[in-house]
Each structure stands twice: as structure tokens, then as C-alpha cells.
Amino acid sequence: MANEPAIALKDVHLTLGDGAGRVHILKGVTLDIEAGQSVGLVGPSGSGKSTLLMVMAGLERADEGSVHVAGSELGPLSEDALAQFRGQNVGIIFQSFHLVPNMTALENVAVPLELAGRSDAFEKAEAELEAVGLGHRLHHYPAQMSGGEQQRVAVARALVVEPKILIADEPTGNLDETTGAQIVDLMFSVQRERKTTLVLVTHDPALADQCDRTIRVRSGEIEEAASDVHPAKESIRA
Ligand SMILES: Nc1ncnc2c1ncn2[C@@H]1O[C@H](COP(=O)(O)OP(=O)(O)OP(=O)(O)O)[C@@H](O)[C@H]1O
Ligand SMILES: [Mg+2]
């Protein structure tokens, strides 16, 4: 199908935790996201935004419903197949960077390529770090870099496999305003250039507004107003 959505969730339910800590987090989420679209996921703390991202990324399995991402139905995949799916199709950026502390910038970015068995892992990782403006920090360890630099490394690591889907969970939450804005510009420019589908969680209304579309999550359900879709913006970017 030519216009198959990049992400299609149908009546997705997810409960996590045990005993008294059991929480029914996602309560029937149905959602289509077009390929190449940028989507801002907003909503109160605890509403299920991060959990929803994890389901889209194939890091959490839905208990019920169907999760179709980048051409694959994730439910039936084995753990190995799911790991392979993630490695090829999804790049993830977290608020707290999540770099491996005892690896240099270059080594961190090369990891996804090495896992994919690429013999040019280090060359490609170097090029990706240069593209995010960190050609001069290849051999620095995370602790030797600023927050903004660490997040650039994380962006390079997420993008190095040229994923179809880029997922970011409050990517600017730990950065000052200027540095955060640089990271945002970087993500959007790559998203447009490579026509990547971008889904990002943010508490920043201005950042959500930069996306083609805003989706609101409330108590594990989707609330989307028609006015949240910005066709004008899409035509500007087309
Ligand atoms: N592994 C888990 N076990 C039990 N409950 C969980 C688990 N993970 C998340 N929850 C609960 O599910 C709800 C949704 O969590 P989630 O992290 O998705 O919220 P969020 O919308 O990302 O919030 P925030 O904006 O604060 O990051 C919360 O009430 C949380 O306590
Ligand atoms: Mg969260």
C-alpha cells in the first residue's frame, strides 16, 4: 500500500507492574501517524506518553490490540526479531541521554552499526558525529562532554542507522533553552532531509507547536482536536 501509515496502533492496551503496583496505563489507543510526519505527544505527567513511545518503539509489547510500525506487525515477532526490527527501524532519544559511560562518543555511535554487523561502523559513526557538529569530540567520554554535546551524541547514535522512525522522550528536558533549541533544530532538519517520521514527547507547548501535528494523551487515552492538525505547516515543509 502506497500510503500505509508509518505507525498504526489499534485499540492498544497495556498494563504494567505487579500486585498493588499494577497500572492499566494504555486504555485502547488507536492512532495513525503518516510517514514523514512530525508529531508532538503532549499530556499531563503520568498520562502514559513515555509508555506509548515504548510501545511504538517495540520496547514494550501491547497486551491487546495491534501495533504496526514501519511495515511490520510487532505483536507476533519473536524477541530476536523485535530486537532486529528496533535496530533497523527505530532511533530513540531520551531526556537523560543514556550514553554508555565507558565508551567514547565514537564508540557510542558505532554500537547500533556494530550490532547490525556493519564493517564500516566507525567510518559511518564518525560521519554522523561530524554531521551533528561533533567532529572534534570523537574520542571524548560522556563525562567529558556538556549536556548539549552528550545529547548530540545521542542524536547521532539514534540516526546512524538511518531509521524510518525517530522517537524522542523530552529530548530537551535536561538542557538549557539555547542548547535545547539547537537539539530541536538538529532533529527537525534531519527529519525533513531524510523524511523520517518523528514522534516526540514534550511538555513545551512551543516545541509541540513546531510539529506537523499534536496528539494529546490523557489517562492512557488519545484526545486529538481537529485544530491540532496543521496542514499549512505540512505544505510549507513539502
Ligand atoms: N513499569 C511500570 N509499572 C507500573 N506502573 C508503571 C510502570 N511504568 C509506568 N507506570 C505508571 O504508568 C503511568 C504512565 O507512565 P508514563 O511514564 O508513561 O507517563 P508519562 O506521560 O510519560 O509521564 P511524564 O510526563 O511524567 O514523563 C504512571 O502513572 C506510571 O506510574
Ligand atoms: Mg514520560
Side-chain angles (χ1 to χ4, degrees), residues 16-18 21-23 25 43-52 60 169-170 201 203:
L16 290 177
D18 301 307
R22 261 173 90 75
V23 182
I25 305 175
S45 180
S47 57
K49 304 179 299 295
S50 295
T51 307
L52 185 54
E60 286 287 356
D169 197 348
E170 300 185 48
V201 167
H203 287 285

Coordinates of all heavy atoms in Angstrom, one line a residue, residues 16-18 21-23 25 43-52 60 169-170 201 203, ligand 1:
L16 N 1.1 -2.5 33.3 CA 2.4 -2.8 33.8 C 2.4 -2.9 35.3 O 1.6 -2.3 36.0 CB 3.5 -1.7 33.3 CG 3.8 -1.7 31.9 CD1 4.8 -0.5 31.6 CD2 4.5 -3.0 31.4
G17 N 3.4 -3.5 35.9 CA 3.6 -3.7 37.3 C 2.9 -4.9 37.9 O 2.1 -5.6 37.2
D18 N 3.2 -5.2 39.2 CA 2.6 -6.4 39.8 C 1.8 -6.0 41.0 O 2.1 -4.9 41.6 CB 3.8 -7.3 40.3 CG 4.7 -7.7 39.2 OD1 4.1 -8.2 38.2 OD2 5.9 -7.5 39.3
G21 N 0.9 -2.6 42.6 CA 1.5 -1.6 41.7 C 1.1 -1.8 40.3 O 1.6 -1.2 39.4
R22 N 0.1 -2.7 40.0 CA -0.4 -2.8 38.7 C -1.1 -1.6 38.2 O -2.0 -1.1 38.9 CB -1.4 -4.0 38.6 CG -0.7 -5.3 38.1 CD -1.7 -6.4 38.3 NE -2.5 -6.6 37.1 CZ -2.1 -7.1 35.9 NH1 -0.8 -7.5 35.8 NH2 -2.9 -7.3 34.9
V23 N -0.8 -1.1 37.0 CA -1.4 0.1 36.5 C -1.9 -0.2 35.0 O -1.1 -0.6 34.2 CB -0.5 1.3 36.5 CG1 -1.2 2.5 35.9 CG2 0.1 1.6 37.9
I25 N -2.2 1.3 32.0 CA -1.6 2.5 31.5 C -2.3 3.0 30.2 O -2.8 4.1 30.1 CB -0.1 2.5 31.4 CG1 0.5 2.0 32.7 CG2 0.5 3.8 30.9 CD1 2.0 1.7 32.6
G43 N 0.6 16.0 27.2 CA -0.4 15.5 28.1 C 0.2 15.5 29.5 O 1.4 15.6 29.7
P44 N -0.6 15.4 30.5 CA -0.2 15.5 31.9 C 0.8 14.4 32.3 O 0.9 13.4 31.7 CB -1.5 15.4 32.7 CG -2.6 15.4 31.8 CD -2.1 15.1 30.4
S45 N 1.6 14.7 33.3 CA 2.5 13.7 33.9 C 1.8 12.5 34.3 O 0.7 12.6 34.9 CB 3.3 14.4 35.0 OG 4.2 13.4 35.6
G46 N 2.3 11.3 33.9 CA 1.6 10.1 34.3 C 0.5 9.6 33.4 O -0.2 8.6 33.6
S47 N 0.3 10.4 32.3 CA -0.8 10.0 31.4 C -0.5 8.9 30.4 O -1.4 8.3 29.8 CB -1.2 11.3 30.6 OG -0.1 11.8 29.8
G48 N 0.8 8.5 30.3 CA 1.1 7.4 29.5 C 1.9 7.7 28.3 O 2.1 6.8 27.4
K49 N 2.5 8.9 28.2 CA 3.2 9.3 27.0 C 4.5 8.4 26.7 O 4.7 7.9 25.6 CB 3.6 10.8 27.1 CG 2.4 11.7 27.3 CD 2.9 13.2 27.4 CE 3.8 13.4 28.5 NZ 3.2 13.2 29.9
S50 N 5.3 8.3 27.8 CA 6.5 7.5 27.6 C 6.2 6.1 27.3 O 6.9 5.4 26.5 CB 7.4 7.6 28.9 OG 7.8 8.9 29.1
T51 N 5.2 5.6 28.0 CA 4.8 4.2 27.7 C 4.4 4.0 26.3 O 4.7 3.0 25.6 CB 3.7 3.8 28.7 OG1 4.1 4.1 30.0 CG2 3.3 2.3 28.6
L52 N 3.6 4.9 25.8 CA 3.1 4.9 24.4 C 4.3 4.9 23.4 O 4.4 4.1 22.5 CB 2.2 6.1 24.1 CG 1.5 6.1 22.8 CD1 0.8 4.8 22.5 CD2 0.6 7.3 22.7
E60 N 8.2 -2.1 24.5 CA 7.1 -2.7 25.4 C 6.1 -3.4 24.4 O 5.8 -2.8 23.4 CB 6.4 -1.7 26.2 CG 7.1 -1.1 27.4 CD 7.3 -2.1 28.6 OE1 6.7 -3.2 28.5 OE2 8.0 -1.7 29.5
D169 N 11.9 11.3 23.8 CA 11.1 11.4 25.0 C 11.7 12.6 25.8 O 12.8 12.5 26.4 CB 11.2 10.2 25.9 CG 10.1 10.2 26.9 OD1 9.4 11.2 27.1 OD2 9.9 9.1 27.5
E170 N 11.1 13.8 25.7 CA 11.5 15.0 26.3 C 13.0 15.3 26.1 O 13.8 15.4 27.0 CB 11.2 15.0 27.8 CG 9.7 14.8 28.1 CD 9.4 14.9 29.6 OE1 9.9 15.9 30.2 OE2 8.7 14.1 30.1
V201 N 7.8 13.4 22.6 CA 7.1 13.8 23.8 C 7.7 15.1 24.4 O 8.9 15.2 24.5 CB 7.2 12.7 24.9 CG1 6.7 13.3 26.3 CG2 6.3 11.5 24.5
H203 N 6.8 18.7 27.2 CA 6.0 19.5 28.0 C 6.1 20.9 27.5 O 5.4 21.8 28.1 CB 6.4 19.4 29.5 CG 6.0 18.1 30.1 ND1 4.8 17.8 30.5 CD2 6.8 17.0 30.4 CE1 4.7 16.6 31.0 NE2 5.9 16.1 30.9
Ligands
LIG1 N1 6.8 -0.4 34.9 C1 5.7 0.1 35.4 N2 5.0 -0.5 36.4 C2 3.9 0.1 36.9 N3 3.4 1.3 36.6 C3 4.1 2.0 35.7 C4 5.3 1.5 35.0 N4 5.7 2.4 34.1 C5 4.9 3.4 34.2 N5 3.9 3.2 35.1 C6 2.8 4.1 35.5 O1 2.1 4.4 34.3 C7 1.7 5.8 34.3 C8 2.2 6.4 33.0 O2 3.6 6.5 33.0 P1 4.4 7.2 31.8 O3 5.8 7.1 32.2 O4 4.1 6.6 30.5 O5 3.8 8.7 32.0 P2 4.2 10.0 31.2 O6 3.0 10.5 30.5 O7 5.4 9.7 30.3 O8 4.6 11.0 32.4 P3 5.8 12.1 32.5 O9 5.2 13.3 31.7 O10 5.8 12.4 34.0 O11 7.0 11.6 31.9 C9 2.3 6.4 35.5 O12 1.2 6.5 36.5 C10 3.3 5.5 36.0 O13 3.5 5.5 37.4

